Amino acid sequence: MEVGYLAHLSLDGRSQTVAEHLSGTSDLCAAFAASFGAEEQGRLAGLAHDLGKYSAAFQRRIQGSVERVDHATAGAAECCKRGQICAAFAVAGHHSGLPDGGGQGDHQDEPTFCGRMRKAALGGLEPCEAWQEELKLPAASTPAFSNPLEEMFFTRMLYSCLVDADFLDTETFMAGAERERGGGDRMEDLEKKLQSHISGWFPPQNELNRERCAVLRCCLDQGTAQKPGLFTLTIPTGGGKTVASLAFALCHARAHGLRRVIYVIPYTSIIEQNAQVFRDILGDKNVLEHHSGVLYDIEDEASPDNARLARATENWDMPVVVTTAVQFFESLFGSRSSQCRKLHNLAQSVIIFDEVQMLPIPYLRPCVFAIAQLVKDYGASAVLCTATQPALDGIFKKFLPEQPPVELCPPEVFRQELFQRVTFRREGTLSWEAVAERISGQKQALCIVNSRKSTQQIYGLLDKDGAFHLSTLMYPAHRKAVLKWIRARLNNGLPCRVVSTSLIEAGVDVDFPAVFREEAGLDSILQAAGRCNREGKRPADESVVTIFQGEAPPPSLFEIPVAAGRQALNRHALPDSPEAIYCYFQELLGLKGSRALDQKDILAVMERDFMLFRKVAKRFHLIDSETKTVYIPLGEGEELVRQLRSGEHSRALYRALGQYGVSMYPQHFEALNLAGDLEVLEDGSAVLTNPALYDSDMGLSLAADAGKFLSI
């Protein structure tokens, strides 16, 4: 029997024809793209993507030939002939990643889109006209765009649909059945779970809980009343922001037929806490936690749930996804299929940007553009959620002029004064000796300073009984263990004096009666204040946050935030007032200047040049670090390092090793290496070989540092 042209052969001897694969991929791609009105383009891209598999060369390859065959360019050229440039880019990159556009003068051997189209026009592809006997490519309307930025964004979203559809159709065939991934309950059912969880909150038992319930009720009501769009949610620390934002998201999704809720959070420490809250409310099967600190094994057949979650990380097909800002935005500006595959599932979603003030200023305009696009053209609702709302109105107005943000919880909903759990005090300049003396005068106190060197200097001046040090010179597993001891001493009323870098501000759940904060950005100062009287068990006038200027100048990274914070503090008596916060962010963005809000000229490149997907992806890195990592072979790290030395290089191993890594600048790394204190392995990984350099209190020694230190 004539089998036809083959697309795939399974290990158990089954075959899938090209026509079958193209039909299945096209149906999926069209369904995915329908969520943002691009069903026609999705169907075309799905049918065209593997036309090159009709060539004799590819048919030889699938039967065992080792020849290389370009099977994507033919379909891209067919889309291009029909004026469907976005579909053509998606097809061209469905395996190798979205290409750069290039120019009309590109040679046919260049890997740019124009080079590949020239190759097709000059007859440089393997003949594959046989597709015309089995298929007819559908007509599709040509999308209209206001500018090149929108065209690139649409192309990336269409590419996401194609890549996911191609993977899913292939996966189903190879497995012989559809593999379980994602899934979960309907939004209506999730909303019922939430209602059950909060039912015990009413009626509230005290004044503070009455205010929290007022915030929660407002978010529930707004979820139904508001049409999809752009929102702010400004709730004071302690106002129940996590559950209130989830309440809005679930009600809003149910009321308007939105498909999922996505939380974008700056730090993994906050993600872990929030994801656990969501799992407690909604159940494990409905929440996907996706970041570098979570390990799922897709091959773990003994744990179907583990494998299901691993597959869900590929395309975010889950009701609630909790992820990092790095994962979210670098995917939106990425070019690789593994990055972009999930993007189509952002359409028709509620996207919560928690601690939105932490969006990195050097990439602020590109990030705001991406959020605005999702709201404007992809049916998403975006919620900018924080206690310290940044002044982003002007930037959003450029990209979303007809949809100003709506505040979901106006100030009149709650009484701000009930959430004021601390008293702020400014001290002027203090020497490290004076800071240590003030800390020592408290039974329990937290001091946060701007550099790791300053942290070690102050800690060195303290009596070590009940004193603790925290910085990123300690590997993460070490910091977690120290935090566990700190919490235990705080809970038991024992002496506990902690000196830390700003890492403790990042959602770490600790409660001190007194906090000392070196001058920083106002958002950092208020985050530090959130570690003081966190549970509201003490009077505000007995819970003092002391703001001081340290003896060392601030690291260059902090100079502008410190200056903007100082201006806001000089102009406003209450640092946590909405007026002070707005003043700070206006001052900060003004001092930075518009050029600093897109430091890598991402948007300029997108506007000026033709579809430079790879160039943009290369420039867009939220964590643009020069640092190198050294693994510390202590505790469980000893066994992990042994595995690394033995030649194991799995993703799971590197993720586990991350709990035993310390980052440092190149000059510190080179000094340790020249001193013979490091072992650099074949894969480039570095291991500390001199255990005397790692102190059980302060972490890795800075003795060989050239004088430049990480801020946290």
Side-chain angles (χ1 to χ4, degrees):
M1 185 178 75
E2 185 70 27
V3 174
Y5 293 88
L6 299 180
H8 301 111
L9 293 174
S10 68
L11 294 176
D12 59 4
R14 293 175 295 108
S15 61
Q16 183 187 41
T17 67
V18 180
E20 289 169 340
H21 175 55
L22 294 184
S23 176
T25 301
S26 179
D27 288 345
L28 285 171
C29 189
F32 296 155
S35 66
F36 52 93
E39 183 177 357
E40 292 178 350
Q41 292 82 11
R43 189 166 299 283
L44 172 63
L47 273 176
H49 81 284
D50 273 355
L51 292 183
K53 289 186 175 181
Y54 278 96
S55 69
F58 183 85
Q59 292 304 305
R60 291 193 299 272
R61 177 173 174 77
I62 202 169
Q63 297 294 348
S65 164
V66 295
E67 59 193 299
R68 295 185 63 184
V69 182
D70 174 1
H71 72 267
T73 301
E78 291 298 329
C79 292
C80 206
K81 289 176 187 175
R82 290 159 173 78
Q84 297 292 330
I85 301 300
C86 300
F89 265 90
V91 170
H94 76 272
H95 278 305
S96 57
L98 285 165
D100 282 339
Q104 295 299 319
D106 288 0
H107 189 271
Q108 64 173 323
D109 291 333
E110 291 189 58
T112 63
F113 179 80
C114 287
R116 291 168 69 176
M117 292 306 98
R118 178 176 289 275
K119 181 179 180 180
L122 295 176
L125 300 178
E126 294 286 341
C128 60
E129 293 81 1
W131 70 264
Q132 298 173 9
E133 301 171 11
E134 297 190 353
L135 301 170
K136 181 179 180 181
L137 295 183
S141 58
T142 303
F145 304 104
S146 301
N147 53 60
L149 300 174
E150 292 184 356
E151 186 175 21
M152 282 189 73
F153 199 95
F154 176 87
T155 301
R156 201 178 271 107
M157 293 292 280
L158 185 63
Y159 175 63
S160 167
C161 297
L162 176 60
V163 167
D164 196 25
D166 185 23
F167 271 109
L168 289 175
D169 186 79
T170 302
E171 177 185 82
T172 299
F173 165 73
M174 298 300 281
E178 190 173 342
R179 302 293 294 272
E180 186 182 8
R181 64 172 65 237
D185 294 327
R186 300 176 309 158
M187 284 296 158
E188 292 83 353
D189 297 323
L190 297 182
E191 188 181 10
K192 289 176 183 175
K193 289 176 184 285
L194 172 75
Q195 293 288 357
S196 175
H197 176 79
I198 64 177
S199 61
W201 295 20
F202 299 91
Q205 299 303 307
N206 56 48
E207 269 195 313
L208 188 58
N209 282 338
R210 271 197 293 276
E211 298 304 306
R212 287 171 175 159
C213 286
V215 168
L216 176 61
R217 176 54 61 194
C218 183
C219 288
L220 288 166
D221 293 342
Q222 293 276 53
T224 302
Q226 295 290 343
K227 294 180 180 178
L230 177 66
F231 305 98
T232 56
L233 180 57
T234 312
I235 300 176
T237 302
K241 175 164 57 77
T242 300
V243 176
S245 60
L246 179 65
F248 168 80
L250 294 178
C251 288
H252 192 63
R254 185 265 308 154
H256 300 288
L258 303 185
R259 303 183 299 167
R260 60 185 47 82
V261 176
I262 297 169
Y263 270 81
V264 182
I265 300 177
Y267 299 111
T268 55
S269 57
I270 309 176
I271 287 178
E272 290 164 357
Q273 292 175 33
N274 286 10
Q276 190 55 53
V277 171
F278 301 150
R279 281 192 289 265
D280 291 342
I281 297 171
L282 305 176
D284 291 358
K285 71 174 183 177
N286 292 307
V287 180
L288 174 68
E289 188 179 351
H290 186 196
H291 57 86
S292 61
V294 176
L295 300 177
Y296 302 114
D297 186 355
I298 203 165
E299 303 298 333
D300 186 0
E301 297 300 335
S303 176
D305 280 345
N306 197 12
R308 176 180 66 86
L309 290 170
R311 285 189 284 271
T313 62
E314 297 171 340
N315 65 357
W316 285 3
D317 184 14
M318 286 278 282
V320 177
V321 178
V322 191
T323 192
T324 61
V326 172
Q327 176 78 239
F328 184 86
F329 286 109
E330 290 192 1
S331 295
L332 278 167
F333 288 90
S335 63
R336 293 181 286 112
S337 60
S338 59
Q339 291 176 297
C340 297
R341 180 178 173 182
K342 64 182 86 72
L343 295 182
H344 68 91
N345 278 326
L346 301 180
Q348 296 185 10
S349 294
V350 186
I351 309 172
I352 310 286
F353 296 91
D354 196 17
E355 304 294 354
V356 69
Q357 79 281 357
M358 299 303 299
L359 287 178
I361 288 177
Y363 297 91
L364 195 55
R365 290 186 74 247
C367 289
V368 169
F369 160 74
I371 296 169
Q373 276 292 289
L374 289 168
V375 171
K376 177 173 171 282
D377 294 329
Y378 298 88
S381 280
V383 184
L384 313 179
C385 189
T386 179
T388 54
Q389 199 65 242
L392 300 178
D393 310 38
I395 307 175
F396 269 106
K397 190 172 183 178
K398 174 177 174 55
F399 299 116
L400 208 58
E402 297 177 7
Q403 292 192 53
V406 175
E407 174 56 53
L408 295 175
C409 193
E412 60 268 20
V413 171
F414 55 86
R415 287 179 291 168
Q416 178 87 24
E417 64 273 12
L418 286 180
F419 293 104
Q420 289 174 343
R421 296 170 295 181
V422 304
T423 299
F424 290 93
R425 180 184 299 156
R426 295 180 73 184
E427 280 272 356
T429 302
L430 296 177
S431 67
W432 296 148
E433 288 82 2
V435 172
E437 184 179 338
R438 280 167 168 73
I439 298 169
S440 299
Q442 302 282 338
K443 184 178 181 181
Q444 295 183 335
L446 168 65
C447 176
I448 304 173
V449 290
N450 292 333
S451 76
R452 304 195 300 193
K453 182 179 181 181
S454 299
T455 309
Q456 291 194 345
Q457 288 176 326
I458 297 170
Y459 177 77
L461 296 169
L462 296 178
D463 184 330
K464 297 306 175 286
D465 183 24
F468 298 91
H469 165 279
L470 285 169
S471 83
T472 51
L473 285 172
M474 302 156 68
Y475 55 82
H478 185 185
R479 295 200 303 268
K480 287 180 180 178
V482 172
L483 276 167
K484 187 175 180 180
W485 298 333
I486 289 169
R487 290 189 181 106
R489 293 184 74 88
L490 290 172
N491 292 336
N492 294 323
L494 298 173
C496 186
R497 304 173 188 94
V498 178
V499 187
S500 176
T501 58
S502 60
L503 69 87
I504 202 167
E505 295 169 356
V508 178
D509 188 6
V510 289
D511 186 357
F512 286 85
V515 169
F516 297 81
R517 183 50 166 110
E518 185 180 9
E519 278 191 340
L522 188 60
D523 52 341
S524 291
I525 290 171
L526 296 180
Q527 289 280 6
R531 310 313 120 194
C532 184
N533 197 20
R534 188 170 179 81
E535 302 302 324
K537 295 178 180 179
R538 295 175 293 273
D541 58 0
E542 296 177 13
S543 306
V544 178
V545 176
T546 301
I547 305 164
F548 66 93
Q549 186 174 341
E551 68 174 41
S556 57
L557 183 67
F558 288 175
E559 285 176 352
I560 290 178
V562 166
R566 193 175 294 158
Q567 287 288 346
L569 291 171
N570 288 340
R571 293 174 187 171
H572 299 276
L574 296 176
D576 54 351
S577 67
E579 295 79 13
I581 293 163
Y582 190 80
C583 171
Y584 165 69
F585 281 109
Q586 277 201 316
E587 192 74 25
L588 178 67
L589 298 182
L591 287 171
K592 288 284 188 180
S594 59
R595 171 71 177 82
L597 307 186
D598 185 4
Q599 207 169 72
K600 298 294 182 68
D601 290 327
I602 305 292
L603 298 185
V605 167
M606 292 169 65
E607 286 182 307
R608 183 182 64 237
D609 300 312
F610 177 55
M611 301 282 221
L612 292 183
F613 289 101
R614 297 191 179 189
K615 185 174 183 178
V616 166
K618 189 174 180 180
R619 289 187 178 205
F620 195 97
H621 291 290
L622 291 194
I623 301 177
D624 201 7
S625 175
E626 305 171 355
T627 61
K628 296 188 175 186
T629 298
V630 171
Y631 296 121
I632 312 298
L634 296 173
E636 293 182 13
E638 187 174 7
E639 170 58 21
L640 295 171
V641 165
R642 187 198 64 75
Q643 294 176 39
L644 188 65
R645 283 178 170 138
S646 70
E648 183 180 337
H649 300 131
S650 68
R651 182 187 298 181
L653 176 61
Y654 284 116
R655 282 186 173 178
L657 275 165
Q659 289 295 305
Y660 296 87
V662 173
S663 297
M664 61 187 67
Y665 280 106
Q667 58 265 46
H668 186 193
F669 182 94
E670 291 304 325
L672 290 177
N673 196 26
L674 287 172
D677 295 321
L678 300 180
E679 175 188 1
V680 180
L681 306 179
E682 287 186 8
D683 69 338
S685 299
V687 176
L688 183 70
T689 56
N690 182 357
L693 289 179
Y694 195 89
D695 184 82
S696 60
D697 291 329
M698 292 190 289
L700 191 63
S701 171
L702 283 172
D705 204 320
K708 185 177 181 183
F709 307 99
L710 281 172
S711 62
I712 63 169

